[in-house]
Amino acid sequence: MANILIYSNNPQLIAEWTHALVADHHVSRLLNVHVDYQADAVLIDARKLDEDASLFAQLSNKQTRYLVLGADWPEQKQIDVLVHGAAGYCEQSEAPKCLMRAIDCILSGDIWVKRALVPKVIGILTGSLQSTKTHFLPVSEREGLHKILESLSARETEVADMIRQGQNNKS
């Protein structure tokens, strides 16, 4: 049973997300993300990120997995949270039917993201997109991404490039 925290000011969303997860996980509300807390995963209402851009720094915490839930958030914002370290993004409208799967996915170490964004995220991480598309990243984060890329094996880099090009890794 994982410890799941919900970071939102919307009582309806808190109740909905809690109801979806409480049978299999310990779920409670996180009142302040800037204080110390212990959690396996944190569900973040995307509106909180819209209100406070400093929350993006929280997403890189390797101790906790973060799932951002938004309402028709633009693709660029979805990509941005993933590049900053979130383990996934889910549409609020899809949450009732897929929230448990999304949580199980990120708790197992995987990423929860719609398939259409995978090549774009990999493109950013591999530096294959034009530099005009990565200008939103500070130099320190670009350096961090470069270190991640350096840690990939030759085969992992090859697979990432195949996925970026729309191929699959079943070869």
Side-chain angles (χ1 to χ4, degrees):
M1 185 174 261
N3 183 27
I4 311 293
L5 298 177
I6 298 174
Y7 189 54
S8 176
N9 290 334
N10 184 322
Q12 181 180 353
L13 291 178
I14 294 168
E16 182 181 295
W17 298 347
T18 299
H19 178 72
L21 299 170
V22 74
D24 293 330
H25 301 289
H26 175 70
V27 182
S28 56
R29 184 170 177 209
L30 178 61
L31 298 175
N32 184 352
V33 77
H34 295 292
V35 298
D36 286 337
Y37 55 87
Q38 294 287 326
D40 298 303
V42 175
L43 304 181
I44 298 181
D45 185 340
R47 285 176 277 205
K48 299 295 263 178
L49 289 162
D50 288 335
E51 295 167 2
D52 183 1
S54 72
L55 292 178
F56 280 90
Q58 292 290 123
L59 301 175
S60 63
N61 176 352
K62 302 298 181 210
Q63 308 282 324
T64 304
R65 305 285 286 168
Y66 295 90
L67 179 67
V68 177
L69 290 100
D72 298 317
W73 235 29
E75 279 190 357
Q76 189 56 52
K77 285 188 174 184
Q78 295 175 42
I79 292 168
D80 203 18
V81 296
L82 294 166
V83 169
H84 278 84
Y89 173 84
C90 182
E91 281 294 323
Q92 287 176 4
S93 61
E94 297 172 357
K97 64 182 176 192
C98 70
L99 190 55
M100 183 59 85
R101 285 189 335 214
I103 286 294
D104 289 344
C105 176
I106 69 168
L107 288 174
S108 71
D110 291 330
I111 302 294
W112 185 267
V113 61
K114 64 183 177 184
R115 187 174 298 273
L117 290 184
V118 171
K120 294 175 184 180
V121 172
I122 290 174
I124 289 172
L125 294 175
T126 60
S128 297
L129 291 179
Q130 298 173 350
S131 62
T132 57
K133 299 210 181 203
T134 59
H135 71 281
F136 63 91
L137 291 175
V139 172
S140 62
E141 290 186 30
R142 277 184 266 174
E143 289 171 356
L145 293 175
H146 184 69
K147 288 179 184 175
I148 292 170
L149 289 174
E150 288 176 343
S151 71
L152 296 177
S153 70
R155 178 63 180 153
E156 288 169 328
T157 303
E158 180 184 349
V159 169
D161 195 45
M162 287 170 36
I163 293 171
R164 182 187 58 77
Q165 294 173 25
Q167 300 174 23
N168 64 45
N169 65 344
K170 299 193 188 240
S171 55

